[in-house]
């Protein structure tokens, strides 16, 4: 764990890690038209552009989720919770609750809640994640037979 904490200090900055205070972390939100753009096409209304607004939205939340893990290691639980919750909510809405990225973020959020001492919420999140992972594995196994 000391390796992880050292890496976290490098990412966020030694000053922020020492004081457990640091610059506020921007919480990423979809634009006014949501993650899929004004026309609901998934490309931000750009009419056939290669990158979609959903992909950008999800990439931003994935980066926020990763930053949330670093903040968790630094003991900045409130900021970590906002980022991980936002990422989890965005992934559930766009990718679905059983997508591997959504499941990973849900597990990370459960671990954060455990570290915060919020054991009932941690239990709920981790049980839900485990059940969805098992169902996903069973579905894949059925396809193989």
């Amino acid at each position: 764990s000391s390796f992880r904490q050292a890496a976290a200090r490098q990412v966020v900055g030694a000053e922020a890690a020492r004081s457990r205070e640091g610059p506020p972390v921007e919480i990423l939100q979809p634009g006014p038209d949501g993650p899929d753009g004004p026309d609901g096409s998934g490309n931000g209304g750009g009419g056939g552009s290669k990158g979609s607004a959903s992909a950008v939205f999800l990439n931003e939340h994935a980066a926020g989720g990763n930053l949330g893990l670093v903040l968790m290691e630094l003991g900045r639980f409130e900021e970590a919770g906002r980022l991980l919750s936002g990422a989890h909510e965005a992934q559930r809405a766009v990718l679905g609750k059983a997508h591997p990225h959504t499941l990973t973020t849900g597990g990370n959020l459960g671990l954060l809640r455990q570290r915060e001492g919020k054991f009932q919420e941690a239990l709920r999140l981790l049980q839900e994640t485990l059940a969805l992972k098992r169902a996903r594995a069973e579905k894949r196994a059925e396809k193989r037979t």
Side-chain angles (χ1 to χ4, degrees):
S1 181
S2 64
F3 173 76
R4 291 169 73 188
Q5 288 175 339
R9 284 186 193 97
Q10 289 176 351
V11 171
V12 175
E15 187 63 33
R18 264 195 309 274
S19 67
R20 292 197 185 256
E21 297 291 325
V25 176
E26 180 182 350
I27 306 299
L28 303 170
Q29 300 293 332
D33 299 312
D36 291 322
D39 61 359
S41 66
N43 64 19
S49 66
K50 193 168 186 174
S52 75
S54 289
V56 171
F57 179 67
L58 287 171
N59 284 335
E60 288 177 352
H61 275 283
N66 291 338
L67 179 57
L69 291 175
V70 173
L71 292 167
M72 179 175 69
E73 288 298 317
L74 293 172
R76 292 168 59 178
F77 298 137
E78 186 176 324
E79 291 171 281
R82 284 194 305 265
L83 289 168
L84 287 168
S85 292
H88 191 236
E89 185 177 306
Q91 290 167 339
R92 286 178 71 97
V94 177
L95 299 174
K97 65 182 182 180
H99 189 279
H101 296 321
T102 307
L103 295 172
T104 297
T105 304
N108 290 338
L109 185 56
L111 293 175
L112 171 66
R113 298 305 182 219
Q114 177 190 359
R115 300 255 321 257
E116 290 177 304
K118 297 177 179 177
F119 299 113
Q120 290 301 317
E121 187 177 355
L123 182 64
R124 180 190 61 76
L125 284 162
L126 294 171
Q127 286 177 331
E128 176 184 297
T129 299
L130 179 60
L132 290 166
K133 283 184 176 187
R134 283 182 176 157
R136 185 176 169 83
E138 288 172 8
K139 227 180 207 183
R140 285 196 335 255
E142 286 175 10
K143 287 183 180 180
R144 289 186 204 141
T145 57

